[in-house]
Amino acid sequence: MSVPRMTCRELVEVVTDYLEGALDPDEAARLERHLDNCLGCRNYLDQLARLRELVGTLTEDDVDPEAAAALASAFAAWREGRSM
Amino acid sequence: MILGQADADLLERIRTGDERAFEEAVRAYGPGLMRVARFYAGEGAADEVVQETWVTFLKTLDRFEGRSSLRTWLYGIATNIARRRRSSDARMVVKDDPAVDPDRFWDETGPQPGHWKRFPPAWNEIPDERLLGDEIRRVVEQAISTLPERQRAVIVLRDVEGLASDEVRDVLDLSEGNERVLLHRARSKVRRAVEIYLEGEDVGA
């Protein structure tokens, strides 16, 4: 029995399952066959990969000194409460 | 993921009242908590959410059994606090909106039903300093902060903070299927926002 070919519209809905390794093997194979023949979907996957990289860099900030001071007194209060 | 040795030692020192150990924990996990809180509770409430997270952490320290990593535990506390603070915390229904505007594909009467009318552009010709630069970062941040709450929580934990998907499920108490649906919607919308931005700039179109 032949499996119908995956369309682009289908692919964009299962792509997260695929990237997360949660697509069942038959579906993953269908998706990969589609990718072999479709530049548009290869671009789409490439866009998602680049975005993932970008989103993963939104992490560069430090603890604000004012907040750190407030936490230091919260800690002191906590410690005092414990020793009582 | 269970508690690692380094974090277990750190917690032990905090339990004995070691101020430096607490500062270490704040330095290590504070920035991540801040991002989670900001995306989850909004810029205005983020400081307070983080502060309250650390206070709750200290209060519940003795009850923590080490069955998750310290990070997962802290993020769980923060998301609970942020969630309680949100006034409109109606349980979000996962809307089944498509990842890509259906109009981008040929319909049944077109030459290739279900296929792209026009391919999404390749972004590999956009220089990294532009694609990873400040403007597009702001577009991405803006897109994430306007996502529905649970989608935002999932993409922040999974893609910004880099948690494994099972950790994300633990923090947010989600089923496997639900977590992926939320992640899918979130990533699709962020991609769309960047695409619109780049098209407006006429790059790669």
Side-chain angles (χ1 to χ4, degrees):
Chain A
M1 195 185 90
S2 83
V3 195
R5 289 178 55 193
M6 185 176 281
T7 63
C8 310
R9 187 161 43 200
E10 251 181 284
L11 183 139
V12 300
E13 294 302 343
V14 297
V15 68
T16 305
D17 287 354
Y18 176 70
L19 294 173
E20 294 285 285
L23 205 57
D24 81 60
D26 290 347
E27 279 297 284
R30 256 181 97 217
L31 182 145
E32 282 163 5
R33 277 199 300 279
H34 177 101
L35 277 184
D36 284 343
N37 296 303
C38 180
L39 175 65
C41 286
R42 285 201 297 277
N43 286 351
Y44 190 84
L45 238 77
D46 177 66
Q47 291 182 351
L48 290 174
R50 279 162 199 278
L51 278 180
R52 181 110 195 258
E53 188 188 337
L54 171 62
V55 171
T57 65
L58 299 175
T59 54
E60 293 138 12
D61 46 6
D62 292 315
V63 181
D64 157 49
E66 207 175 302
L71 285 173
S73 37
F75 184 77
W78 170 78
R79 189 169 50 187
E80 204 159 305
R82 267 166 91 87
S83 61
M84 283 196 304
Chain B
M1 200 190 297
I2 58 150
L3 189 63
Q5 193 54 50
D7 280 340
D9 293 345
L10 189 62
L11 287 177
E12 197 39 52
R13 284 169 54 211
I14 296 172
R15 283 195 182 103
T16 65
D18 180 344
E19 199 179 316
R20 289 238 182 90
F22 181 60
E23 284 168 15
E24 269 177 51
V26 170
R27 269 200 307 278
Y29 298 107
L33 282 171
M34 194 62 192
R35 288 189 297 274
V36 170
R38 196 180 291 143
F39 280 118
Y40 213 90
E43 190 69 50
D47 284 341
E48 282 175 44
V49 169
V50 173
Q51 207 75 11
E52 206 178 321
T53 299
W54 287 114
V55 172
T56 305
F57 158 82
L58 290 172
K59 275 195 219 148
T60 53
L61 189 52
D62 290 330
R63 295 203 298 273
F64 178 57
E65 290 172 347
R67 275 192 231 140
S68 67
S69 70
L70 179 51
R71 183 165 71 159
T72 304
W73 181 41
L74 284 167
Y75 286 8
I77 297 174
T79 50
N80 276 328
I81 291 170
R83 196 180 290 168
R84 271 206 309 275
R85 293 175 59 106
R86 284 178 79 91
S87 48
S88 59
D89 190 21
R91 231 182 136 59
M92 197 201 71
V93 181
V94 178
K95 275 187 280 166
D96 208 18
D97 45 358
V100 173
D101 182 352
D103 205 38
R104 297 285 298 271
F105 305 107
W106 294 110
D107 65 17
E108 304 317 310
T109 63
Q112 282 190 298
H115 289 261
W116 300 103
K117 286 180 186 166
R118 177 170 66 83
F119 285 168
W123 288 352
N124 54 13
E125 284 172 20
I126 304 171
D128 269 3
E129 59 267 30
R130 169 149 175 75
L131 192 60
L132 304 177
D134 285 346
E135 275 172 69
I136 294 182
R137 291 165 71 98
R138 272 197 295 277
V139 172
V140 169
E141 280 175 341
Q142 173 67 20
I144 291 176
S145 63
T146 54
L147 289 170
E149 174 180 328
R150 291 198 301 168
Q151 293 180 21
R152 181 171 62 226
V154 169
I155 197 171
V156 166
L157 294 175
R158 179 85 181 97
D159 290 348
V160 181
E161 296 301 315
L163 265 63
S165 40
D166 59 338
E167 293 181 295
V168 176
R169 294 198 287 273
D170 282 351
V171 170
L172 300 174
D173 197 20
L174 290 170
S175 72
E176 194 175 330
N178 240 340
E179 186 250 344
R180 270 202 309 279
V181 170
L182 293 166
L183 182 63
H184 179 62
R185 297 295 167 226
R187 285 181 179 171
S188 303
K189 285 178 192 164
V190 170
R191 191 208 66 86
R192 181 74 190 126
V194 173
E195 180 180 62
I196 288 170
Y197 175 79
L198 290 172
E199 273 171 5
E201 297 281 299
D202 243 346
V203 172

